[in-house]
Amino acid sequence: MKRNSTIIHYHPSVAKALKTKKPILALESTIISHGVPYPNNVKMALRLQEIALDHGAVPATIAIIKGKLHIGLTPREIEYLAKTKGVLKVSRPDFATCMALDLDGATTVAGTMIAADMANIKVFATGGIGGVHRGAEDSFDISADLTELSQTPVVVVSAGAKAILDLPKTIEYLETQGVPIIGYNTEEFPAFYSRSSGIRLYHKVTSAAQIAKIYKTHLKLGFNSGILVANPIPAKYEIPSSEIGKIINIAVKESKKHLVAKKDLTPFLLSKILELTKGRSLASNLKLVENNVMIGAQIAVQIAKEKV
Ligand code: PSU
Ligand code: MN
């Protein structure tokens, strides 16, 4: 698909920022349609757009609405996505069908990276990435987010990944695929709700400017992969792994009992965790995404201005 294709719809503020080379931050929509329940999802999506703006970047929330790929959403479009039932979860294999058949689709981390890259947007902030599921040695369930990170040159700011996954295998997979993982003020891969996972990272930075410089050097060297920024949840919102670990284990057991698999597995585990923590995990979830959007916007600002 070409960048100027008529099947891509740019929000006017994004179109203007692209033209004038102003900082832009991509945001995903699976978190709206399949991650956070209504009406919290609407509030969250609007708040994230505000935070990006407050930190100097034009927000570009990405989704497919009735077959059109939208780069940047209006509040009405966000409300529509947040409420509509049967919105597809769109990753690499789903784009063409969703668009050709005029369907609605919420983009995953992989899907959002693809669309951001088409639109020439360099930075994307999310909550947690998908990864290697527990038991992947039997199920082969490895999120397409990981292969997308290996082939699409976008900076992805995350709070690591949830321990619903096999985190050591997720890190090994990214290493095999040659994806740089940069700890932001941390030497450990964060586990979404918890700041630590016990998995050491090789690279740590302390500023958005350093990440921008690494990204530009990465591109100059001709690398095509993404860069994963691992930004731990702020300490005061953390849920210790001793606590959330038990809940996650119950959720995983339930998914096995109900034979949940493939695309449904991650959304099932997320909603089970919400239910079991009676919403407490939602507050942490929102705070860590907000924190990622703040850092993501700062990185976009640095990339837009920095000369390496
Ligand atoms: N993990 C989370 N929250 C999320 C997701 C993952 O903690 O909302 C979403 C993201 O959109 C991610 C997708 O890209 O789930 C991964 O799905 P799968 O495991 O089916 O690849
Ligand atoms: Mn999967």
Side-chain angles (χ1 to χ4, degrees), residues 1-304:
M1 197 186 326
K2 299 262 164 52
R3 275 178 195 156
N4 61 0
S5 159
T6 51
I7 47 180
I8 302 186
H9 179 83
Y10 291 94
H11 186 285
S13 63
V14 176
K16 189 171 163 210
L18 280 167
K19 219 183 224 165
T20 54
K21 297 192 162 42
K22 290 282 180 319
I24 304 174
L25 180 66
L27 301 167
E28 65 154 303
S29 46
T30 291
I31 195 172
I32 303 174
S33 295
H34 305 281
V36 171
Y38 184 83
N40 289 299
N41 51 1
V42 177
K43 253 175 71 186
M44 171 194 68
L46 295 174
R47 172 121 187 81
L48 296 182
Q49 299 200 147
E50 237 171 65
I51 293 173
L53 277 174
D54 286 349
H55 290 85
V58 172
T61 309
I62 290 172
I64 297 169
I65 298 179
K66 299 189 172 83
K68 232 180 205 324
L69 177 56
H70 285 249
I71 312 287
L73 299 179
T74 63
R76 268 179 77 166
E77 287 160 350
I78 286 175
E79 178 84 20
Y80 174 79
L81 266 184
K83 267 186 173 164
T84 304
K85 300 265 178 287
V87 174
L88 295 181
K89 188 175 149 192
V90 174
S91 186
R92 183 171 274 271
D94 316 296
F95 266 93
T97 309
C98 184
M99 294 179 69
L101 303 185
D102 293 335
L103 304 174
D104 297 317
T107 49
T108 63
V109 168
T112 308
M113 287 179 77
I114 291 167
D117 188 47
M118 283 174 189
N120 205 19
I121 297 172
K122 313 291 186 198
V123 191
F124 158 38
T126 184
I129 60 162
V132 179
H133 276 277
R134 298 184 188 184
E137 56 275 30
D138 294 319
S139 67
F140 267 51
D141 192 344
I142 299 174
S143 174
D145 292 353
L146 302 187
T147 38
E148 205 54 54
L149 277 162
S150 74
Q151 60 182 321
T152 303
V154 172
V155 177
V156 179
V157 184
S158 74
K162 284 202 176 90
I164 53 172
L165 302 166
D166 186 323
L167 295 182
K169 285 197 180 75
T170 300
I171 297 297
E172 288 296 342
Y173 194 92
L174 287 169
E175 187 169 329
T176 302
Q177 295 288 327
V179 177
I181 309 175
I182 313 289
Y184 187 78
N185 286 318
T186 185
E187 283 168 3
E188 259 190 75
F189 189 70
F192 198 89
Y193 299 115
S194 324
R195 290 176 61 82
S196 69
S197 64
I199 303 169
R200 271 208 65 153
L201 295 176
Y202 292 107
H203 307 292
K204 172 187 164 180
V205 298
T206 53
S207 73
Q210 284 175 305
I211 296 168
K213 197 165 177 190
I214 291 169
Y215 178 64
K216 293 213 169 173
T217 306
H218 184 77
L219 296 185
K220 273 193 181 167
L221 289 167
F223 291 120
N224 265 320
S225 71
I227 288 183
L228 180 62
V229 175
N231 180 35
I233 183 172
K236 61 179 166 187
Y237 303 114
E238 175 178 37
I239 309 181
S241 52
S242 55
E243 220 173 295
I244 198 76
K246 287 180 206 140
I247 304 274
I248 287 172
N249 288 339
I250 298 171
V252 171
K253 254 190 209 147
E254 285 277 306
S255 72
K256 289 201 176 117
K257 195 171 110 194
H258 298 290
L259 304 175
V260 184
K262 300 168 76 183
K263 266 183 189 293
D264 297 332
L265 180 56
T266 298
F268 176 91
L269 293 170
L270 302 183
S271 70
K272 211 63 212 171
I273 292 168
L274 270 184
E275 185 191 312
L276 292 167
T277 58
K278 300 197 173 55
R280 175 175 169 214
S281 63
L282 182 60
S284 295
N285 196 339
L286 298 179
K287 290 297 179 190
L288 69 85
V289 187
E290 289 176 9
N291 190 42
N292 293 340
V293 169
M294 190 177 79
I295 304 300
Q298 290 169 358
I299 296 168
V301 167
Q302 292 299 324
I303 288 177

